[in-house]
Amino acid sequence: METRTALVTGAAQGLGREFAVALAGRGYRVAGFDLEPQPETAEQILDYVELVGDVSDPVAVEEGLERIIEQFGTLHVVVNNAGVYPAKPFEETTPEDWRRVMRVNLEAPFLVTRAALPHLKAAGWGRVVNIVSAAVLTAPPTMVPYVASKMGLIGFTRSLAAAVAPYGVTVNAIAPSMVRTATAERTVGADGGFEFVRSRQAVERTQEPADLVSTLLYVVDEGSGFLTGQTLNVSGGSAYL
């Protein structure tokens, strides 16, 4: 079997770094795409392509995919992990706040997947994994744009799964709870945010990036070709489908 290649967006830290390292551990060649340089990710992966740019910029995305193909020759897995999650009362949400969340959380996965799809089809096998959120089920009132964007990404997942199934490509989503990352600790997890979410989970601890790895590896596994169009809720029992 040829060595497979994966692209992970938001790979500089948190979930993205955890996913990139886990995929490399399974033998994947990995490319990471982030607004920031990714030295801590790159130092843990032998065969790594670092892409620094904006995943909501169509030109940057096309150039990034060209670099991956130049370096690795093929692409098999796309993990759309990059996202933003500002918390703000709805009445204070500006049109630019709304557009920014939609650009990063919904339009960027569209752009990345659209650019990647010809390569997945050419490979005859592919996995697209979209990181959504259990917030679509718990509906926090101060995160209306975020919840709307992640519900949109679930719809994208379902419809695209039907569109690309004939090419051996699956599309699924993973919905975590509030994950302990550096960004979350500065924002939604601060001032009691982690404690609030934890109190509403059946599993009474804060979710760590490592808690999502086994689910990711299951979704991208060779044996998971009959799983597509699904949202896997991995949220410690904070919500039930």
Side-chain angles (χ1 to χ4, degrees):
M1 182 185 298
E2 67 174 320
T3 301
R4 288 182 169 153
T5 302
L7 167 61
V8 180
T9 69
Q13 60 177 327
L15 268 181
R17 183 194 300 161
E18 196 81 22
F19 288 159
V21 172
L23 288 164
R26 286 296 177 95
Y28 282 83
R29 300 172 300 190
V30 179
F33 205 141
D34 203 292
L35 273 174
E36 304 294 332
Q38 304 137 50
E40 294 182 31
T41 307
E43 70 183 11
Q44 299 180 64
I45 299 173
L46 180 62
D47 206 357
Y48 188 73
V49 169
E50 179 187 74
L51 305 172
V52 179
D54 184 352
V55 290
S56 67
D57 177 352
V59 174
V61 169
E62 292 290 345
E63 291 176 349
L65 265 292
E66 288 175 7
R67 275 198 59 201
I68 294 170
I69 300 306
E70 286 173 5
Q71 179 72 23
F72 295 139
T74 188
L75 181 63
H76 304 88
V77 170
V78 174
V79 182
N80 287 307
N81 166 73
V84 293
Y85 37 90
K88 181 184 289 189
F90 178 69
E91 293 85 351
E92 297 176 16
T93 301
T94 66
E96 182 49 39
D97 291 334
W98 178 273
R99 285 191 288 266
R100 176 173 176 262
V101 172
M102 294 299 162
R103 278 197 305 270
V104 178
N105 292 1
L106 188 54
E107 186 172 345
F110 157 73
L111 292 171
V112 172
T113 305
R114 185 185 66 164
L117 187 57
H119 306 293
L120 305 187
K121 290 168 67 175
W125 186 95
R127 302 283 187 261
V128 177
V129 186
N130 298 316
I131 305 305
V132 294
S133 174
V136 301
L137 302 171
T138 59
T142 59
M143 301 184 75
V144 173
Y146 177 77
V147 171
S149 70
K150 293 300 187 179
M151 280 298 292
L153 192 53
I154 289 173
F156 174 77
T157 298
R158 293 176 177 178
S159 190
L160 184 63
V164 301
Y167 308 105
V169 178
T170 68
V171 188
N172 291 287
I174 299 173
S177 183
M178 186 185 291
V179 182
R180 191 194 308 278
T181 65
T183 301
E185 287 177 336
R186 293 194 307 269
T187 56
V188 291
D191 300 322
F194 283 121
E195 291 78 3
F196 178 82
V197 171
R198 194 163 59 236
S199 70
R200 282 155 174 77
Q201 294 175 178
V203 179
E204 294 182 1
R205 65 173 176 82
T206 297
Q207 190 168 40
E208 303 290 343
D211 292 319
L212 281 302
V213 166
S214 63
T215 305
L216 174 73
L217 295 178
Y218 162 63
V219 170
V220 304
D221 190 78
E222 178 77 26
S224 296
F226 216 67
L227 176 75
T228 197
Q230 304 304 308
T231 299
L232 285 74
N233 179 28
V234 189
S235 62
S238 65
Y240 300 95
L241 295 175

